[in-house]
């Protein structure tokens, strides 16, 4: 059953109750955030919404051009996480298209409604309000930019940790057709076709279509389906009116993606405690028996970007967008045939946004004023089926969360001299969250929403309606000193803010109450709600071009105070005397992040073996010391500071990469070789260290060789990803008994962890892609 609207679903429940930018290290990367690369020391970016040399921008930026991504063999947006300092971009546990993003220790991996992302994902300047369908495949892309640190004075939505901008290609003035095909291991077969044409002098139209498919890295031994496969169709259409020499450009675009990949099942890290099922040899195999609802993700949207030059110094921009995505996914937490901890889920998201920007560019003063509005709905529905614990026991949850946000923002730079400039910006944000949270137990099977035969048992443990509003002013200031045009020393201070909300998995019946067991709506609201989180960030940096452009470097040091940190989670609990699954969200307290980042590109030589050849080395290094200074957990009803036993999740202390690239002319064409080695130190998947699912430090090795024909008419490339076939965990699930203070897992008499939820003991991991080899050919007309 697929719900169509909230009123229908609630009627069903009522009936049931009566009977829930810098120098990129990527292979062949161009350090171009937007427009052009005019030489080794003249890189132009638009991070501050105007054309500037990269060296002049007092912001930590890493940018990947579309050409660089193609030559590196990048598959989707998560690939750039391996070569961007202090950045984690991973596919979320149990999904194929939901994104977990962290920058400098700030992020969010919980995909359910009610939790806002810490890192903003933008598609053609449109903020994606939810992480579902945010693992964007790389096709028809102009560039991807990663901005580290709070971003709010220049962009529509305030983002507390940073921003990732995915920008599609503008339409050319001439007729253009490009066909790109890929064949590789695991039956990979991709085809991308892009075409565009002018219609008269002012109108251009373009379309792109992509068919991306791959067999599984493993198998589901229970259902017979391939595991970790890919089955995706996507398309994009664009109409451009004006632009180039015209004072007005109107760009209307639409995109559609349908992902029919099989459910992505994890692999168990311990034997089944009830069934005795052994740990599988292949980490990409699974035994999960849940396959309902049928996995399907559909995402689509429309956007209109208008740019009008009102005068030589003033430009008006408008960004209007509507987006919608629906995800139906069966998540088998325990990864075994029986319904021990099975979670069929539905995510329904919709958003409408409008942004206006007024830009001014004078001789000494440059900047913008902006207004942003977003209204969005996020509905999450899921069963938690614990059939091996109590026959047919299901805890159903529906969490409908609506967001309305307004903001005004501005950022201006004044050049006192050619050497000294000051940037000052600020943002005022109004956020409102409304939530309806329904939780109902069923016995005898799953909930009716997922086609189950369960019968409602008792009154709903949560039936909450409420709203909260949050507002905050967040400033930014930076000072830049350029002793010469090729050197920039800067210092900046900024604040970030992420609104509060309500725990979508919370159990209202467990709220502390003046009358025990009978909490009021206000008492439930206080129990389910969490406060906004805030960050104050300080950064100093240097950007320079040395040795006549042969060496470019960017160095940044940062320090951040992070307060009221939102820590969502879920634990085993008891509801109305029955075992269940409860949300636990806390504003843990305080954390500090301090670190260093280095990015550089060196031209090691040219005209070495042949006239016109070039050898370059691109490097990136990130270090972060991320620590909780205060982490308040409610242990045995006593607030306890457990900071000494907690870690910042998805934030390795060290990230590093190096790319050696060589290109040389061959006849009238050219050949390119590239190899990249990237490293990430130990990564904790959650705040509580877990020796089973935490990933030790590891390195990945990629390589490529590409021949490009004269005039760039066609090319063919051979790519290798993860050439050493390294096994590495990216996420996982854990529901085993642990010490509530230290988090140490408590083993049973058999020497294995004990089950905290269900009876099999859930310790399940998901892994990054194994070695892949593929050939890509491109033809242009």
């Amino acid at each position: 059953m697929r719900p169509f609207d909230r009123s229908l679903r609630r009627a069903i429940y009522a009936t049931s109750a009566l009977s829930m930018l810098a120098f990129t290290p990527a292979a062949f990367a161009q350090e171009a955030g937007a427009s052009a690369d005019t030489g080794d020391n003249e890189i132009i970016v638009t991070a501050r919404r105007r054309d500037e040399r990269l060296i002049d921008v007092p912001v930590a930026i890493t940018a990947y051009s579309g050409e660089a991504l193609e030559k590196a063999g990048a598959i989707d947006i998560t690939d750039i996480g391996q070569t961007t300092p202090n950045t984690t971009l991973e596919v979320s546990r149990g999904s194929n298209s939901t994104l977990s993003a962290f920058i400098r220790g700030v992020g969010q991996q919980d995909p359910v409604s009610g939790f806002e992302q810490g890192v903003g994902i933008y598609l053609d300047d449109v903020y994606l309000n939810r992480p579902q369908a945010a693992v964007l495949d790389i096709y028809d892309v102009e560039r991807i930019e990663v901005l580290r640190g709070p971003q709010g004075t220049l962009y529509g939505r305030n983002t507390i940790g940073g921003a990732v901008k995915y920008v599609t290609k503008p339409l050319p003035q001439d007729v253009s057709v490009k066909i790109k095909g890929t064949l590789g291991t695991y039956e990979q077969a991709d085809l991308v076709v892009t075409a565009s044409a002018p219609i008269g002098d002012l109108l251009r139209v373009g379309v792109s279509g992509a068919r991306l498919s791959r067999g599984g890295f493993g198998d589901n031994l229970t259902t017979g389906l391939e595991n970790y496969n890919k089955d995706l169709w996507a398309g994009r259409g664009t109409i451009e009116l004006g632009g180039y020499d015209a004072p007005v450009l109107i760009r209307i675009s639409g995109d559609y993606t349908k992902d029919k990949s099989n459910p992505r099942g994890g692999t168990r890290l311990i034997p089944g405690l009830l069934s005795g099922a052994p740990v599988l040899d292949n980490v990409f195999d699974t035994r999960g028996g849940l396959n309902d609802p049928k996995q399907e993700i559909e995402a689509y949207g429309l956007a209109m970007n208008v740019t009008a030059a009102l005068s030589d110094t003033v430009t008006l921009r408008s960004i209007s967008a509507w987006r919608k995505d629906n995800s139906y996914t069966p998540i088998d937490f325990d990864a075994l045939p029986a319904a021990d901890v099975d979670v069929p889920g539905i995510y329904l998201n919709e958003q409408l946004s409008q942004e206006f920007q007024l830009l001014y560019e004078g001789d000494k003063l440059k900047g913008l004023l902006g207004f942003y509005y977003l209204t969005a709905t996020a509905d999450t529905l899921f069963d938690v089926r614990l059939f091996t614990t109590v026959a047919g026991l299901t805890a159903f949850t529906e969490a409908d969360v609506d967001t309305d946000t307004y903001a005004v923002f501005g950022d201006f730079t004044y050049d006192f001299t050619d050497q000294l400039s000051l940037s000052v910006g600020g943002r005022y944000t109004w956020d409102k969250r409304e939530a309806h949270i329904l939780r109902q137990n069923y016995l005898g099977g799953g909930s009716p929403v997922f086609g189950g035969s369960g019968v409602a048992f008792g009154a709903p443990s949560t039936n909450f309606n409420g709203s909260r509003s949050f507002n905050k002013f967040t400033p930014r200031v930076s000072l830049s000193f350029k002793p010469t045009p090729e050197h920039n020393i800067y210092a900046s201070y900024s604040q970030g803010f992420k609104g509060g909300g309500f725990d979508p998995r919370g159990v209202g019946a467990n709220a502390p109450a003046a009358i025990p067991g009978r909490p009021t709506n206000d008492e439930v609201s206080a129990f389910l709600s969490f406060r906004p989180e805030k960050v104050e960030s300080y950064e100093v940096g240097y950007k320079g071009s040395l040795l006549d452009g042969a060496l470019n470097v960017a160095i940044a040091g940062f320090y951040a105070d992070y307060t009221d940190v939102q820590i969502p989670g879920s634990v085993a609990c008891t509801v109305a005397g029955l075992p269940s699954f409860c949300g636990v969200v806390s504003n843990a307290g305080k954390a500090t992040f301090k670190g260093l980042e280095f990015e550089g590109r060196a031209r090691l030589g040219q005209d070495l073996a042949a006239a016109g050849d070039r050898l370059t080395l691109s490097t990136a290094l990130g270090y972060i010391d991320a620590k909780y200074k205060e982490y308040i957990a409610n242990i045995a009803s006593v607030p306890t500071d457990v900071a000494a036993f907690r870690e910042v999740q998805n934030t390795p202390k060290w990230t590093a990469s190096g790319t050696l690239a060589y290109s040389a002319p061959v006849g009238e064409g050219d050949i390119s070789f590239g190899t990249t080695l990237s490293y990430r130190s130990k990564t904790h998947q959650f705040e509580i260290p877990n020796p089973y699912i935490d990933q030790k430090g590891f390195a990945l090795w990629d390589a490529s060789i590409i021949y490009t024909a004269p005039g760039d008419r066609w090319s063919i490339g051979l790519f290798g990803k993860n050439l050493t076939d390294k096994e590495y965990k990216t996420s996982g699930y854990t529901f085993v008994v642990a010490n509530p203070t230290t988090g140490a897992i408590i083993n049973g008499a058999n020497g294995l962890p004990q089950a905290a939820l269900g009876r099999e003991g859930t310790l399940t991991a998901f892994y990054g892609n194994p070695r892949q080899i593929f050939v890509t050919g491109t033809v242009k007309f």
Side-chain angles (χ1 to χ4, degrees), residues 608-623:
L608 298 171
D613 70 357
R614 174 179 288 204
L615 180 66
T616 61
L617 175 65
S618 299
T619 57
L621 178 67
Y623 166 79

Side-chain angles (χ1 to χ4, degrees), residues 333-479:
F333 280 41
D334 59 279
L336 288 171
D340 190 57
V341 186
D342 284 8
V343 183
I346 300 173
Y347 302 89
L348 307 173
N349 306 309
E350 188 171 6
Q351 68 179 79
L352 180 69
S353 61
Q354 174 63 53
E355 181 176 352
F356 293 108
Q357 304 167 10
L358 189 65
L359 299 95
Y360 176 81
E361 189 163 358
D363 292 335
K364 288 186 173 292
L365 180 66
K366 303 174 180 65
L368 67 83
L369 291 173
F371 168 80
Y372 181 75
Y373 171 69
L374 168 75
T375 182
T377 62
D379 300 351
T380 301
L381 306 92
F382 61 90
D383 278 1
V384 178
R385 297 177 177 176
L386 307 172
F387 292 179
T388 61
T389 304
V390 176
L393 174 61
T394 295
F396 169 77
T397 298
E398 179 191 11
D400 301 337
V401 179
D402 297 345
T403 298
D404 285 286
T405 184
Y406 302 83
V408 290
F409 56 94
D411 194 284
F412 285 87
T413 300
Y414 185 79
D415 299 326
F416 293 103
T417 68
D418 290 340
Q419 294 178 308
L420 186 66
S421 61
L422 176 69
S423 296
V424 177
R427 176 192 188 90
Y428 200 93
T429 303
W430 295 266
D431 273 356
K432 183 179 180 181
R433 295 263 161 66
E434 296 185 21
H436 169 74
I437 302 171
L438 176 67
R439 182 173 173 127
Q440 176 68 56
N441 279 343
Y442 289 85
L443 289 176
S447 71
V449 168
F450 294 97
S453 58
V455 176
F457 176 76
S461 55
T462 305
N463 191 3
F464 169 74
N465 289 280
S467 66
R468 292 192 68 185
S469 297
F470 314 93
N471 55 76
K472 178 71 174 177
F473 175 73
T474 49
R476 176 182 173 85
V477 60
S478 67
L479 185 67

Side-chain angles (χ1 to χ4, degrees), residues 48 72 105 269 408 475 540 659 666 741 774:
R48 295 198 291 179
L269 303 177
V408 290
V540 294
T659 295
V666 176
T741 300
F774 51 93

Side-chain angles (χ1 to χ4, degrees), residues 585-702:
V585 178
S586 61
N587 290 98
K590 303 174 183 177
T592 60
F593 305 141
K594 52 190 174 185
L596 295 170
E597 294 165 347
F598 171 86
E599 294 178 279
R601 177 176 174 177
R603 188 175 65 238
L604 301 181
Q606 58 186 17
D607 301 329
L608 298 171
D613 70 357
R614 174 179 288 204
L615 180 66
T616 61
L617 175 65
S618 299
T619 57
L621 178 67
Y623 166 79
I624 184 169
D625 181 15
K627 291 182 177 178
Y628 284 105
K629 296 298 184 182
E630 180 182 76
Y631 191 119
I632 305 302
N634 196 25
I635 298 175
S637 301
V638 177
T640 305
D641 187 355
V642 296
F645 306 102
R646 299 297 185 264
E647 300 286 348
V648 177
Q649 65 162 283
N650 283 289
T651 303
K653 179 171 287 188
W654 292 97
T655 53
S657 68
T659 295
L660 190 66
Y662 176 77
S663 62
V666 176
E668 295 184 5
D670 65 77
I671 193 164
S672 302
F673 302 87
T675 183
T676 298
L677 184 67
S678 61
Y679 172 78
R680 301 173 72 81
S681 62
K682 184 174 183 178
T683 302
H684 298 280
Q685 308 294 354
F686 299 101
E687 283 72 22
I688 299 176
N690 186 307
Y692 288 91
I693 61 175
D694 290 344
Q695 175 60 48
K696 296 179 180 178
F698 68 97
L700 296 178
W701 177 34
D702 300 341

Side-chain angles (χ1 to χ4, degrees), residues 70 124 137-142 166-172 176-180 191-197 205-212 232-240 251-258:
E70 283 195 8
D124 286 334
D137 287 281
I138 292 175
Y139 75 99
D140 196 31
V141 62
E142 174 73 11
Y166 184 107
V167 182
T168 61
K169 289 183 177 180
L171 299 181
S176 174
V177 177
K178 178 180 177 181
I179 302 173
K180 177 181 176 182
L191 179 65
V192 180
V193 179
T194 302
S196 64
V205 296
V207 294
S208 293
R211 169 58 174 154
L212 310 176
L232 184 141
W233 294 85
R236 183 178 293 121
T238 305
I239 299 173
E240 290 183 355
R251 189 173 198 252
I252 301 172
S253 59
D255 65 273
Y256 177 84
T257 300
K258 189 163 191 176

